[in-house]
Amino acid sequence: SSMKAARVAKATEASNIAATLVSEFLRSVKAATHPHDSNAFQRSELAVTLGLAGADDPQLVGQLARDAASSLFRVPLETACQILDNFALAGLRLEDCPELHANALDILVRRADELLDCQASEDMMRDLKAGNYSLLSTGPLLHLHKHATFTRQRQRLPEQDSLVDAELADLASKFAADKRLILDLGCGFGISGLGIAVADPDWSVFAVDVSAHSVAFARSLAARWSLPCDQIQFGHCSALAALQAISNG
């Protein structure tokens, strides 16, 4: 347990250091010159990389999106859509950067004749108009599925890398007794659990998976979205271990 805790602490420290360095670099670039149009897509790709790495800095992805927002008007429509998809995949919400979503909707409305029969763009416009384009939208979900399939990160990891009984019991104890509990076994990147937690605070969600990579991504989003610990918890463990923890609780 102590070895695992040390590895987790080391990984968290590395993510925080990387996020700090990126923030300082972006501030220096912005102070020196206006971001180049070509950097908008790179910034969105960086946001995805940091998100998938489990970085939980609540400001960084929003800062990257704000720097890229004005460039949407000067890039091809397809690139603008990719930029928006990338930021959504990184966990950006409407309230994190309203200007990015507003500019994207403006572009899609102005250039609707270029959409033709593109279902993905139609879905994007629909969700933008509704004010809820996010990780839970069709495009970002498809990208996340491709990432999971390509990297094959959900292979079972050694038992010593999983939560021990005491840690699981601690997670399970955080849920309020008066809330209904949903147990999500094999949660992957936690999309279902996060969607439930956002949509209905009257439910509690305990989501687990054997992939440390997937769980780190889900935990970082829960932290960045300020979801309370009695509403959703993510555990890196087997389904059997989670069931035992809930039963014992």
Side-chain angles (χ1 to χ4, degrees):
S1 176
S2 59
M3 290 180 62
K4 177 185 177 294
R7 288 195 296 269
V8 171
K10 200 177 253 189
T12 301
E13 181 183 6
S15 294
N16 289 335
I17 291 174
T20 299
L21 291 174
V22 170
S23 297
E24 292 176 352
F25 169 74
L26 292 176
R27 280 196 293 269
S28 67
V29 169
K30 192 170 183 180
T33 179
H34 189 280
H36 297 296
D37 297 344
S38 60
N39 284 345
F41 182 75
Q42 295 172 1
R43 288 166 189 270
S44 72
E45 291 276 276
L46 176 59
V48 171
T49 300
L50 291 171
L52 292 174
D56 58 3
D57 186 326
Q59 305 298 326
L60 183 54
V61 173
Q63 180 185 341
L64 288 165
R66 286 188 291 275
D67 290 343
S70 61
S71 298
L72 289 184
F73 293 106
R74 298 187 290 274
V75 299
L77 179 61
E78 182 179 357
T79 302
C81 291
Q82 289 176 337
I83 290 171
L84 185 63
D85 267 350
N86 281 343
F87 279 115
L89 176 56
L92 186 81
R93 303 164 300 169
L94 174 62
E95 56 264 42
D96 297 325
C97 185
E99 55 266 41
L100 181 75
H101 293 79
N103 289 355
L105 179 58
D106 188 15
I107 290 169
L108 289 176
V109 170
R110 288 187 187 186
R111 300 162 68 173
D113 57 320
E114 298 179 37
L115 298 181
L116 298 177
D117 296 323
C118 179
Q119 185 62 47
S121 297
E122 291 177 7
D123 291 344
M124 180 181 287
M125 183 182 291
R126 180 199 62 226
D127 286 356
L128 282 171
K129 286 182 176 179
N132 59 11
Y133 195 79
S134 69
L135 175 61
L136 305 177
S137 297
T138 303
L141 283 178
L142 288 174
H143 288 307
L144 193 59
H145 173 71
K146 290 177 181 177
H147 170 76
T149 303
F150 177 75
T151 55
R152 302 179 184 276
Q153 290 287 352
R154 296 186 63 190
Q155 296 178 358
R156 186 172 181 82
L157 295 179
E159 286 297 329
Q160 62 266 28
D161 287 334
S162 299
L163 291 174
V164 297
D165 292 344
E167 293 171 310
L168 268 178
D170 180 62
L171 287 181
S173 69
K174 296 183 183 299
F175 298 112
D178 59 344
K179 282 189 176 184
R180 295 168 293 180
L181 178 65
I182 295 175
L183 188 57
D184 186 1
L185 304 176
C187 68
F189 288 101
I191 304 305
S192 298
L194 289 165
I196 293 170
V198 169
D200 192 347
D202 291 332
W203 286 90
S204 292
V205 180
F206 187 27
V208 302
D209 200 275
V210 295
S211 166
H213 172 56
S214 299
V215 171
F217 175 76
R219 282 177 175 168
S220 70
L221 285 186
R224 284 165 44 203
W225 293 359
S226 301
L227 296 175
C229 62
D230 67 340
Q231 191 171 341
I232 189 165
Q233 287 286 338
F234 290 98
H236 174 219
C237 67
S238 68
L240 179 59
L243 288 169
Q244 290 174 337
I246 293 297
S247 299
N248 294 336

